[in-house]
């Protein structure tokens, strides 16, 4: 304790009222002392103003609440009179401080009766013996009525540390357990070597062990309470380090963890601060933060000492939070949501030391873990999550709606080539299927790991051709399933078995063709859905060319179109729920759109000319197609509903065919034109925004049709190697120009046409 704070207040003859009004606190040091009967000890009283400064010119009035145990003079000198505990008070104005004085040794002598008082064995009215001087015979007793039938001690069991003291009280009760009229009692320790007790019920722990105190009423009622004296470590109850803002005031408490975390009387302890310029502390544990910095507080008493770290941080002016608290937040039952809060000083710099207090309005609906910032849903309903910062007005409230949410995957169906990794993601969704946020606590499983395995984070890995179900199981048993179809990256039509059938290959092994499915007639013109899980194709199995749709592994083929004219060249819409194709059902080829779950087709072009080969942009808003309405075949665009038809290419010098959208929204197509007296073909790419056209292939091959991978890095070229003989070449597209085309090997008279790339 510093000299500033242990300033002995003496009577200087100045009027007490002159400075008493400025006093905010009075401290007495030491807060507890033990003396023997007849011994003397000095107490020091110090007064402080609201700023923590010493007030030196005040009058202090000293008093003892039990002069039969200890008395005090005007200078604060205490004299032991008899065994027991007395509270010494130092009062300055309306403020006061206290110290506990334990006196050990012989009990105080029987006081001499005052003049007129009964002498010797005289009794008080009612036949009860008078209480010794300084003893309140009814102290702590509950006021009741009627005669007592039972006597009890509260608390029923007393736990103390060696040299600690506490006060117990008797309870006089009637037969029905209600309070009886107070009775005079006498106290006795049955193990005075373990614990003593005075006639006020103050127990003093003397040595480790188990003792017993007994109280007896004048009417003969008796009660006992065990007194357990244990040498146990004390601890500070509050979380440490103690984090405060300048000007904050907090109170520290000391407890005994092994004795039910009971609190130790602050009068048995003495606090001090290592650096009062950062934080000061009263003798009884009241802490006041003074200025930015770190320091320690020390508490001693009961033969022990503890240290508490103190952090005084910048004053917090505002809180920033995530997510926003402006709208109600849905939270799935057994799901979790993360919350973050940051404290900011006046200059907008973070205050990382600032503490926060979190509360949930209804803990039956949700629980919150402050360490991780995680809110967990428990039961459906509405509640709140509140965070309070270190200062007035620093409070944020989130409205929380806990719902019985379902599980939703980032994809319900996916097609993948061999040796591909694909991350599936699980989310919680509300009753309408709207995604709430990432799902937590999800486990993953595959019903066919040799085809597609899945890791604990939802990453799918393909190993062989086929079909697998990937199941995500969330909290509460909620499930969602994704179907995975593993197929070759390139699908084309080959005549190797005598008629065109669909085969697949990988770019890394073009020579290894694998039949996708067996068609009873001719199958050509495959087209993948955007998720790769379906293939649309043209088949003549029912007599004429019609559009069919099947799963990407070649199963579940079903006829989609049914018209008197041939239907060809299907392409999926961006959502995968419909196809566009051309049909001769009206005499001229026209472009139609038909959902894959419906038999009704919508005609999109009406011109008395040939409109064919439609393809849909990645955003689903635009359809590119080929039309000869101006003479030669040129590329045209229209909106998804058929409106706004307009040309992209024009002129009598060239013909264009086979438009194909790339993933970036640019459009590739095949150009045929005369060059030096010969017909040349080339695949180009057009930026529809700027009109800039750039080549994707050379002009050395006679290209009759083509496809391009969605990423634009690979071309599949249908090349006329001689009249009416076609082969498929695969050509990488490099940044500095096209790579060399590589033919897919054929056998005998085998022909290959209509390649398609998996997305």
């Amino acid at each position: 304790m510093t000299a500033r704070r242990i300033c002995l207040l003496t009577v200087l003859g100045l009027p007490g009222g002159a400075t008493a009004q400025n006093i905010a606190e009075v401290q007495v040091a030491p807060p507890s002392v033990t003396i023997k009967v007849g011994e003397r000890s000095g107490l020091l009283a110090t007064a402080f103003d609201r700023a923590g400064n010493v007030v030196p010119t005040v009058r202090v009035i000293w008093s003892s609440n039990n002069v039969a145990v200890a008395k005090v003079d005007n200078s604060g000198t205490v004299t032991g009179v008899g065994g027991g505990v007395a509270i010494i008070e130092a009062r300055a104005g309306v403020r006061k401080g206290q110290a506990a004085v334990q006196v050990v040794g012989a009990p105080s002598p029987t006081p001499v009766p005052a003049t007129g008082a009964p002498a010797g064995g005289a009794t008080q009215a009612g036949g009860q013996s008078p209480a010794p001087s300084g003893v309140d015979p009814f102290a702590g007793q509950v006021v009741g009525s009627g005669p007592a039938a039972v006597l009890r001690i509260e608390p029923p069991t007393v736990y103390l540390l060696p040299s600690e003291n506490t006060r117990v009280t008797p309870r006089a009760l009637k037969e029905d357990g209600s309070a009886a009229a107070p009775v005079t009692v006498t106290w006795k320790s049955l193990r005075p070597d373990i614990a003593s007790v005075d006639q006020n019920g103050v127990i003093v722990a003397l040595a480790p062990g188990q003792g017993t105190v007994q109280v007896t009423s004048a009417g003969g009622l008796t009660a006992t309470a065990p007194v357990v004296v244990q040498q146990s470590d004390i601890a500070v109850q509050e979380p440490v380090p103690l984090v405060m803002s300048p000007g904050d005031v907090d109170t520290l408490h000391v407890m005994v963890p092994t004795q039910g975390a009971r609190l130790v009387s602050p009068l048995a302890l003495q606090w001090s601060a290592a650096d009062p310029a950062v934080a000061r502390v009263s003798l009884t544990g009241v802490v006041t933060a003074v200025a930015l910095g770190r320091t320690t507080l020390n508490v001693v008493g009961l033969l022990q000492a503890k240290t508490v770290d103190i952090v005084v941080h910048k004053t917090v002016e505002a809180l920033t939070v995530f997510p926003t608290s402006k709208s109600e937040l849905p939270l799935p039952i057994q799901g979790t949501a993360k919350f973050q809060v940051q404290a900011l000083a006046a200059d907008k710099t973070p205050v990382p030391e600032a503490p926060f207090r979190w509360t949930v309005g209804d803990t039956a609906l949700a629980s919150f873990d402050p360490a991780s910032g995680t809110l967990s849903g428990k039961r459906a309903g509405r509640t709140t999550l509140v965070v309070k910062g270190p200062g007035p007005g620093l409070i944020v409230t989130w409205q929380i709606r806990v719902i019985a949410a379902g599980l939703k995957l980032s994809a319900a169906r996916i097609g993948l080539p061999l040796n591909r990794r694909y991350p599936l993601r699980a989310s919680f969704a509300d009753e309408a299927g709207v995604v709430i946020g990432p799902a937590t606590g999800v486990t993953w499983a595959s019903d066919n790991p040799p085809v597609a395995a899945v890791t604990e984070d939802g990453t799918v890995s393909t190993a062989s051709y086929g079909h697998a179900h990937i199941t995500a199981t969330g909290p509460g048993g909620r499930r969602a399933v994704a179907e995975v179809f593993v197929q070759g990256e390139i699908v084309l039509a080959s005549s190797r078995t005598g008629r065109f059938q669909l085969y697949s290959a990988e770019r890394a092994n073009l020579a290894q063709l694998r039949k996708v499915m067996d068609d009873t007639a001719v199958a050509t013109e495959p087209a993948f859905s955007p998720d790769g899980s379906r293939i649309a194709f043209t088949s003549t199995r029912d007599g004429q060319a019609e559009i069919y749709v099947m799963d990407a592994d070649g199963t579940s083929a079903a006829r989609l179109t049914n018209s008197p004219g041939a239907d060809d060249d299907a392409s999926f819409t961006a959502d995968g729920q419909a196809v566009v194709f051309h049909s001769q059902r009206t005499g001229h080829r026209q472009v139609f759109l038909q959902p894959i779950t419906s038999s009704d087709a919508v005609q999109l072009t009406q011109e008395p000319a040939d409109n064919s080969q439609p393809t849909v942009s990645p955003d689903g808003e635009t359809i590119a197609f080929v039309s000869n309405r101006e003479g030669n075949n040129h590329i045209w665009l229209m909106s998804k509903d058929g409106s706004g038809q307009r040309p992209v290419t024009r002129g009598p010098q060239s013909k264009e065919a086979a438009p194909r959208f790339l993933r970036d929204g640019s459009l590739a197509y095949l150009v045929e034109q005369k060059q030096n007296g010969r017909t040349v073909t080339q695949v180009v790419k057009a930026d529809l925004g700027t009109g800039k056209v750039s080549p994707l292939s050379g002009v050395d091959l006679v290209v009759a049709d083509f496809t391009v991978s969605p990423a634009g890095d690979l071309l599949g070229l249908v090349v006329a190697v001689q009249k009416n003989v076609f082969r498929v070449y695969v050509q990488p597209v490099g940044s500095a120009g096209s790579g060399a085309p590589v033919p897919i090997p054929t056998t005998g008279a085998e022909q290959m046409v209509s390649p398609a790339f998996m997305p």
Side-chain angles (χ1 to χ4, degrees), residues 192-566:
D193 57 324
I194 301 295
S196 66
V197 62
D198 67 10
Q199 295 310 305
N200 283 313
V202 177
I203 301 172
V204 178
L206 302 176
Q210 181 166 326
T212 303
V213 294
Q214 176 181 283
V215 64
T216 304
S217 72
L221 299 177
T222 301
T224 59
V227 179
V228 179
V229 181
Q230 296 176 329
Q231 181 60 56
S232 302
D233 284 339
I234 60 175
V236 176
Q237 184 184 52
E238 285 67 30
V240 292
L242 185 63
V243 182
M244 309 175 72
S245 300
D248 282 355
V249 177
D250 203 349
T251 301
L252 296 175
H253 303 84
V254 174
M255 64 177 179
V256 185
T258 60
Q259 296 181 2
R262 68 174 182 85
L263 295 179
V264 176
S265 170
L267 297 177
L269 305 166
Q270 182 175 349
W271 290 86
S272 61
D275 186 355
V278 175
R280 59 185 179 85
V281 61
S282 74
L283 298 177
T284 54
V286 179
V287 185
T288 302
V290 178
L292 303 183
R294 294 175 178 266
T295 187
T296 57
L297 305 180
N298 298 311
V299 58
V300 296
L302 304 173
L303 307 179
Q304 299 187 51
K306 297 294 178 182
T307 299
V308 178
D309 291 324
I310 302 293
V311 177
V312 181
H313 57 73
K314 290 182 179 179
T315 299
V316 176
E317 296 291 340
L319 301 180
T320 60
V321 298
F322 179 83
T324 177
S325 61
K326 294 182 179 179
S327 59
E328 186 178 64
L329 298 178
L331 175 68
I333 295 175
Q334 296 184 336
T336 60
K338 288 280 192 178
F339 292 79
Q340 298 175 354
V341 61
Q342 185 180 55
L344 300 179
D347 59 0
K348 305 303 181 183
T349 58
V351 185
E353 307 91 348
F356 303 106
R357 287 185 296 154
W358 298 84
T359 55
V360 175
D362 188 345
T363 55
L365 302 183
S367 61
F368 187 76
D369 177 16
S372 62
T374 302
L375 183 69
S376 301
K378 298 166 65 176
R379 186 165 57 85
R382 281 180 163 84
T383 185
T384 57
L385 175 66
V386 178
V387 61
K388 292 183 179 180
L394 298 175
I395 181 171
V396 178
T397 301
W398 288 272
Q399 302 296 324
I400 306 296
R401 178 168 61 100
V402 185
I403 61 176
L407 206 60
K408 189 173 184 178
L409 298 183
S410 54
R413 296 169 58 94
I414 47 174
L416 297 172
L418 286 177
N419 304 315
R420 181 71 60 86
R421 294 169 63 86
Y422 182 92
L424 275 175
R425 296 291 178 258
S427 300
F428 288 122
D430 64 13
E431 298 89 338
V434 177
V435 170
I436 297 170
T440 55
V442 175
T443 59
W444 298 84
S446 170
D447 69 344
N448 195 355
V451 170
V454 63
T455 61
E456 61 183 14
D457 66 351
T459 301
V460 178
S461 300
T462 60
S464 63
Y465 298 106
H467 178 208
H469 293 85
I470 305 298
T471 301
T473 303
R478 300 178 187 84
R479 293 187 175 186
V481 178
E483 291 188 272
V484 177
F485 302 90
V486 184
Q487 186 54 272
E489 182 183 5
I490 306 170
V491 175
L492 51 80
S494 169
S495 66
R496 65 173 49 188
T497 59
R499 62 177 181 270
F500 281 106
Q501 298 284 288
L502 299 183
Y503 291 82
S504 69
E506 303 292 338
R507 70 170 73 188
N509 188 6
L510 296 175
Q512 186 65 44
L513 260 63
R514 173 180 174 273
K515 183 176 281 191
V516 174
M517 46 88 74
D518 283 314
D519 198 290
T520 57
V522 171
T524 58
E525 300 178 336
F528 280 98
S529 62
D531 61 11
S533 71
R534 291 186 174 95
I535 297 175
F537 63 100
T538 302
S539 174
T540 60
R541 67 178 69 177
D542 292 318
Q544 68 175 0
E546 301 287 355
I547 306 300
Y548 288 74
V549 175
M550 64 180 172
D551 288 334
D553 64 345
T555 62
S556 304
R559 181 174 174 174
L560 181 63
T561 64
N562 185 9
S563 71

Side-chain angles (χ1 to χ4, degrees), residues 49 117 122 151 164 176 179 189 245 250 300 375 385 393 424 433 450-451 509 519 548 599 656 705 728 738 758:
D49 63 16
L151 196 61
E164 190 180 7
D176 62 1
S189 173
S245 300
D250 203 349
V300 296
L375 183 69
L385 175 66
L424 275 175
V451 170
N509 188 6
D519 198 290
Y548 288 74
S599 60
E656 292 81 35
D705 192 9
V728 171
S738 301
M758 178 178 281

Side-chain angles (χ1 to χ4, degrees), residues 576-614:
Q577 298 304 303
V579 295
V580 290
F581 59 94
H582 63 241
S583 174
Q584 292 184 338
R585 62 186 70 180
T586 62
H588 292 284
R589 287 192 301 180
Q590 300 295 337
V591 176
F592 289 79
L593 181 145
Q594 183 172 330
I596 62 174
T597 57
S598 172
S599 60
D600 297 328
V602 178
Q603 186 173 341
L604 299 180
T605 57
Q606 307 291 335
E607 287 285 333
D610 191 81
N611 299 286
S612 61
Q613 303 177 41

Side-chain angles (χ1 to χ4, degrees), residues 4-5 22-25 27 46-50 52-55:
R4 182 180 71 86
R5 301 192 64 182
N22 299 323
I23 297 173
E25 180 184 4
Q27 297 182 5
T46 309
F48 298 92
D49 63 16
R50 295 186 182 278
N53 300 312
V54 174
V55 182

Side-chain angles (χ1 to χ4, degrees), residues 7 82 89 116 148 154 162 201 267 274 356 401 419 569 660 669 726 755:
C7 177
E89 181 179 281
E154 290 187 359
L267 297 177
F356 303 106
R401 178 168 61 100
N419 304 315
D569 211 356
R660 302 283 187 264
Y669 52 88
F726 299 95

